[in-house]
């Protein structure tokens, strides 16, 4: 059995629902074959999210950590890189809005995901669920958690692998009809994430296929 920790976020800003946490719960209920999933909900708060994540890693002792967050994406959006800056576009759930502050004062500028991101994106896509490699997790709490996760895994030296995935809105969310942003049923999101986790558990190395961009 491969031990996996999956985190999702509580709702934030105008939303009352966050499909990232709903998907994490679905993965816990029905984990992929051979995987044992612990699911933990993180606060959408700069100051409290990383202590909660650290606690979850300590108690679950996972081999793989997959953090999930909501973003208006077209499918399973696999983040490549976390950057060392908080530049919040609005208030977090504690009313804080850090601007241009480092996440770790003496930390590196960025960390790459240690999951095989292209292999995972291809596997999810081949299973018929939209998926892509993303070059930015933004500069709100998701990037904060992604950077903090990768810093923790790099410095604790336990060989755990980790990464971050943004999931789309669900069709019922008001922003979808209001702004016409893309959406995906949460069951489809969970199905895609099962493929992603099985792929990540089975493969430590990535495939070398073009997925770059000029933009
Ligand atoms: N998405 C936000 C934070 C919490 C979440 O689910 C983000 O993309 O930063």
């Amino acid at each position: 059995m491969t031990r996996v920790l999956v985190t999702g976020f509580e709702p934030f800003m105008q939303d009352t629902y966050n499909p990232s946490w709903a998907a994490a719960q679905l993965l816990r209920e029905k984990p992929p074959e051979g995987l044992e999933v612990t699911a933990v909900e993180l606060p959408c708060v700069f100051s409290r999210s990383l202590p909660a994540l650290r606690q979850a890693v300590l108690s679950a002792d996972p081999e793989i950590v997959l953090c999930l967050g909501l973003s208006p994406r077209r499918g399973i959006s696999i983040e490549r890189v976390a950057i060392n800056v908080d530049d919040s576009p609005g208030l977090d759930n504690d009313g804080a809005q850090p601007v241009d502050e480092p996440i770790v004062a003496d930390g590196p500028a960025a960390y790459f995901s240690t999951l095989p991101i292209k292999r995972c994106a291809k596997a999810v896509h081949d299973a018929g669920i939209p998926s892509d490699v993303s070059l930015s997790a933004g500069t709100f709490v998701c990037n904060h958690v992604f950077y903090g996760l990768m810093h923790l895994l790099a410095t604790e030296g336990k060989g755990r692998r980790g990464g971050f995935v943004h999931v789309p809105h669900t069709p019922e969310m008001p922003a979808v009809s209001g702004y016409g942003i893309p959406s995906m049923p949460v069951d489809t999101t969970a199905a895609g994430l099962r493929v992603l986790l099985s792929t990540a558990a089975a493969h430590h190395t990535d495939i070398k296929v073009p997925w770059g961009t000029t933009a």
Side-chain angles (χ1 to χ4, degrees), residues 9 12 18 20 44 69-71 137 140-143 166:
F9 277 103
F12 63 102
N18 193 325
S20 69
C44 188
L70 167 67
S71 183
F140 190 43
V141 184
C142 284
N143 174 72
H166 269 116

Side-chain angles (χ1 to χ4, degrees), residues 76 121-131 184 188 191-192 195:
I76 305 295
K122 184 176 185 309
V124 176
H125 178 266
D126 289 351
I129 296 170
S131 184
M184 199 153 92
T188 309
V195 174

